[in-house]
Amino acid sequence: MQLEENKLPFIHLFQTAAGSYFYDVNCNRSVHVSDEAYSVLLKQQKKENDIKISSTVEKELAGLKEEGFLKDIHIKKVKHPFTDILQYHLESKLKLLILQVTQNCNLRCEYCVYSGDYQNRIHSNRKMPFHIAKKSMDYFIEHSRNVEQLLMSFYGGEPCLNFKLIQQCVEYMEEAAEGKSVLYSLTTNATLLNKKIIDFFAKHHFRMMISLDGPKEIHDKHRKFSGSGEGSFDTVLRNMKYIKEEYPEFFQEGVHFNTVLDVENEFKIIDDFVSGNDILSGAEFKAASIDTKNTDKRYLTNPRYWEEINYEYFKMMLELLGKIPTGSSSKLLQDYKEDLRSALEENDNMESEVLPEECHHGGPCLPGATRLFVTVDGDFYPCEKVSEELREAIIGNVEEGINLELAKKNLNFDVANAKKCNECWAYLKCRQCPAFSSCNLETLDKVKNQYCKNTRNSAEEELMDVSILQVLGCDYYVTEKKD
């Protein structure tokens, strides 16, 4: 038996300790099959000739097709489903304004995109003047008429270096956005915090994301003061202790932490610190590995790093199965637990579907509507993570507003790769967007290819984890989902 190439089921095959599976792209669901059926499907995908199918397998595959699986349908045209209604969102539903209040920082963190070792950004003494901020806020207010709660964030460099502007912006928004609530946030290294600044942030219910990479010897390895080269750990912990003692409610509700994981360290040392330090008790953490995109810097992995982090993932699986208490696994990995819960629910509640003729993977958010990032010069970008050297990502400026066609182009940024992307089994799980693009167009394909490989690897790992959890009877996500 041999199928025509364009009639091959659009699936991805994988195996776990619990058996053989295929991920059905059309249905966005993984399905358990017999080992014999798996072997037949694998041979089909490899386009082998004269495949022999037993009556048992033929019946099994026919039953799956009756249930809506094993379709050969692919996306025919890349077009984001929000393309035709993007104008409505840009005119009245802007949600988040992010102001780059300064390009300067009092630290020189080695892995920071502003450090000078990256191609896409550098430190400078430039600050956003109030007239740029005011025009940005006016534009934001005018184009968020159908949004009840506005979100406004301050970005750097280190935003506290321009605290005066932050004060001016909040005072202006409190008056200009009358009738709407505004939630404020910023990402900070926490070294410049003092009573005046903390009073202000607490009074206006700011959400602060504090950068803290672990115990002193690990944090200070990368996060050093400009000029002196001394580590910033002691200053950060002193300020956190002050906030927790003097503003306990603000610390509990408004202070969160971000940890950049350096794979050259042992993971357990970092995890023990964030879970065992008295000041950080009960605090929420997010974590990600050092980003080496747009730089030649590389980091050698400590042999124990993956052993220890994989053990924490194992404990997370036991948590989801209800075998050990909630919170037993590392708080640095909790985002993945939520991803697994979502995938479990999605896989359980699937109804037979077909890929639409027009589609775009879910990577790009609505440029300018979901987030609007304004540089010190007043240029508009889809978000703060997009390289400012990638001029193709600019979607407008404070003088002219958002250019609809440029926003649509960013929303559909992967059209050029349509032929390759439409054949990728991980298309619906892809989160690539302009923020993942290189600032150097000559290396763009290399960066994209590596991201594509990482996406497929991560998607397969999640499919395998979900399949194992389902076989073991996991229903933990139903009652324990995060609020």
Side-chain angles (χ1 to χ4, degrees):
M1 173 183 177
Q2 183 178 19
L3 295 178
E4 298 177 29
E5 182 174 344
N6 62 348
K7 293 297 183 181
L8 288 172
F10 197 10
I11 59 175
H12 174 67
L13 293 154
F14 65 97
Q15 290 181 304
T16 74
S20 301
Y21 295 82
F22 67 84
Y23 166 70
D24 192 291
V25 181
N26 276 273
C27 298
N28 192 25
R29 181 180 177 183
S30 55
V31 181
H32 184 267
V33 293
S34 67
D35 291 343
E36 191 179 355
Y38 178 91
S39 178
V40 168
L41 291 171
L42 182 60
K43 290 177 181 178
Q44 287 180 354
Q45 296 296 304
K46 290 181 177 180
K47 304 170 188 174
E48 295 184 9
N49 295 320
D50 300 323
I51 302 172
K52 295 180 180 180
I53 303 181
S54 68
S55 58
T56 303
V57 171
E58 190 170 2
K59 183 178 180 181
E60 180 180 355
L61 296 180
L64 288 168
K65 289 179 181 179
E66 287 180 9
E67 292 180 44
F69 298 109
L70 300 174
K71 302 183 186 75
D72 57 18
I73 298 172
H74 288 61
I75 295 165
K76 295 181 179 179
K77 180 180 179 181
V78 172
K79 182 179 180 182
H80 198 284
F82 277 80
T83 303
D84 294 332
I85 60 172
L86 180 59
Q87 182 174 359
Y88 162 69
H89 284 265
L90 295 179
E91 288 179 350
S92 63
K93 295 196 71 175
L94 303 194
K95 296 181 177 69
L96 169 60
L97 176 68
I98 306 171
L99 298 182
Q100 184 187 55
V101 296
T102 178
Q103 291 183 342
N104 199 4
C105 186
N106 63 322
L107 299 188
R108 289 297 182 270
C109 305
E110 291 179 6
Y111 55 67
C112 177
V113 294
Y114 287 94
S115 66
D117 290 327
Y118 288 71
Q119 303 166 13
N120 55 328
R121 284 171 174 160
I122 57 172
H123 286 103
S124 80
N125 292 321
R126 303 177 67 203
K127 297 182 178 181
M128 176 178 284
F130 181 68
H131 75 271
I132 294 290
K134 181 178 180 299
K135 288 182 178 179
S136 302
M137 291 183 286
D138 288 341
Y139 186 87
F140 180 45
I141 293 169
E142 181 182 351
H143 293 82
S144 59
R145 295 184 300 275
N146 294 331
V147 178
E148 293 184 4
Q149 187 174 67
L150 307 183
L151 306 175
M152 187 170 176
S153 186
F154 302 96
Y155 191 77
E158 169 49 50
C160 289
L161 284 171
N162 201 0
F163 176 64
K164 180 180 178 181
L165 179 65
I166 295 175
Q167 284 181 299
Q168 289 177 299
C169 289
V170 172
E171 291 166 0
Y172 183 77
M173 285 294 289
E174 296 293 290
E175 181 178 341
E178 184 179 5
K180 291 190 177 184
S181 64
V182 185
L183 290 181
Y184 303 100
S185 66
L186 84 162
T187 299
T188 175
N189 59 41
T191 61
L192 298 174
L193 299 178
N194 54 38
K195 187 178 188 307
K196 177 183 177 182
I197 294 176
I198 297 169
D199 276 343
F200 184 83
F201 289 162
K203 176 183 177 181
H204 294 282
H205 307 289
F206 266 66
R207 289 179 63 87
M208 295 198 303
M209 182 63 76
I210 310 294
S211 302
L212 183 62
D213 291 348
K216 180 178 175 63
E217 66 273 15
I218 290 177
H219 179 93
D220 285 350
K221 177 183 175 182
H222 296 291
R223 303 188 63 78
K224 303 173 183 178
F225 283 104
S226 172
S228 70
E230 295 180 1
S232 59
F233 178 85
D234 291 337
T235 304
V236 175
L237 262 288
R238 183 172 61 249
N239 287 336
M240 293 304 98
K241 181 180 179 184
Y242 174 77
I243 297 175
K244 188 168 187 176
E245 290 176 349
E246 300 297 325
Y247 306 84
E249 185 176 340
F250 173 58
F251 185 87
Q252 183 67 32
E253 297 180 0
V255 178
H256 307 282
F257 295 89
N258 181 66
T259 298
V260 178
L261 299 172
D262 180 350
V263 296
E264 293 184 341
N265 301 295
E266 294 181 21
F267 178 80
K268 189 175 187 302
I269 294 176
I270 304 171
D271 186 49
D272 286 348
F273 170 75
V274 302
S275 61
N277 185 279
D278 291 340
I279 298 174
L280 306 176
S281 176
E284 180 181 314
F285 276 77
K286 288 185 174 293
S289 299
I290 294 176
D291 185 2
T292 56
K293 183 173 79 272
N294 294 317
T295 181
D296 294 326
K297 292 177 70 68
R298 294 296 180 265
Y299 298 87
L300 298 176
T301 304
N302 186 304
R304 293 189 60 84
Y305 179 87
W306 288 115
E307 293 177 14
E308 293 167 350
I309 201 170
N310 285 334
Y311 178 59
E312 292 301 321
Y313 280 124
F314 171 68
K315 287 162 63 179
M316 182 186 298
M317 300 285 276
L318 293 179
E319 278 186 55
L320 287 166
L321 290 166
K323 301 298 184 182
I324 60 176
T326 300
S328 298
S329 61
S330 172
K331 65 168 65 178
L332 295 171
L333 307 178
Q334 296 309 297
D335 282 349
Y336 186 60
K337 186 194 292 184
E338 297 307 314
D339 289 343
L340 285 177
R341 285 191 177 118
S342 297
L344 280 161
E345 187 171 18
E346 185 177 72
N347 213 51
D348 250 19
N349 298 333
M350 189 281 300
E351 296 181 3
S352 180
E353 295 182 0
V354 178
L355 284 171
E357 289 193 359
E358 289 186 351
C359 189
H360 194 292
H361 61 71
C365 57
L366 300 185
T370 306
R371 317 164 79 87
L372 178 60
F373 176 59
V374 187
T375 67
V376 292
D377 296 318
D379 285 331
F380 288 175
Y381 282 82
C383 84
E384 74 282 6
K385 295 180 181 179
V386 177
S387 168
E388 291 162 52
E389 295 299 316
L390 191 65
R391 307 302 289 177
E392 293 87 345
I394 295 177
I395 57 174
N397 56 63
V398 292
E399 301 297 337
E400 300 173 356
I402 296 175
N403 182 301
L404 178 60
E405 294 308 312
L406 292 178
K408 285 183 177 180
K409 186 176 180 180
N410 272 269
L411 182 61
N412 293 277
F413 86 105
D414 238 358
V415 169
N417 300 298
K419 185 175 181 180
K420 180 179 179 181
C421 291
N422 291 0
E423 297 300 317
C424 178
W425 68 266
Y427 190 76
L428 296 179
K429 297 182 177 297
C430 181
R431 295 296 177 264
Q432 188 168 183
C433 71
F436 291 98
S437 298
S438 169
C439 66
N440 185 342
L441 295 179
E442 295 179 1
T443 62
L444 183 58
D445 286 342
K446 180 180 178 181
V447 172
K448 176 176 173 54
N449 288 339
Q450 184 59 47
Y451 181 83
C452 293
K453 180 180 178 181
N454 293 343
T455 294
R456 288 190 290 270
N457 289 341
S458 297
E460 184 171 74
E461 288 174 4
E462 182 180 280
L463 289 172
M464 294 173 74
D465 286 346
V466 167
S467 299
I468 290 288
L469 288 168
Q470 285 186 311
V471 166
L472 295 176
C474 178
D475 60 359
Y476 189 79
Y477 68 97
V478 175
T479 58
E480 298 292 337
K481 288 172 66 177
K482 182 184 290 185
D483 292 337

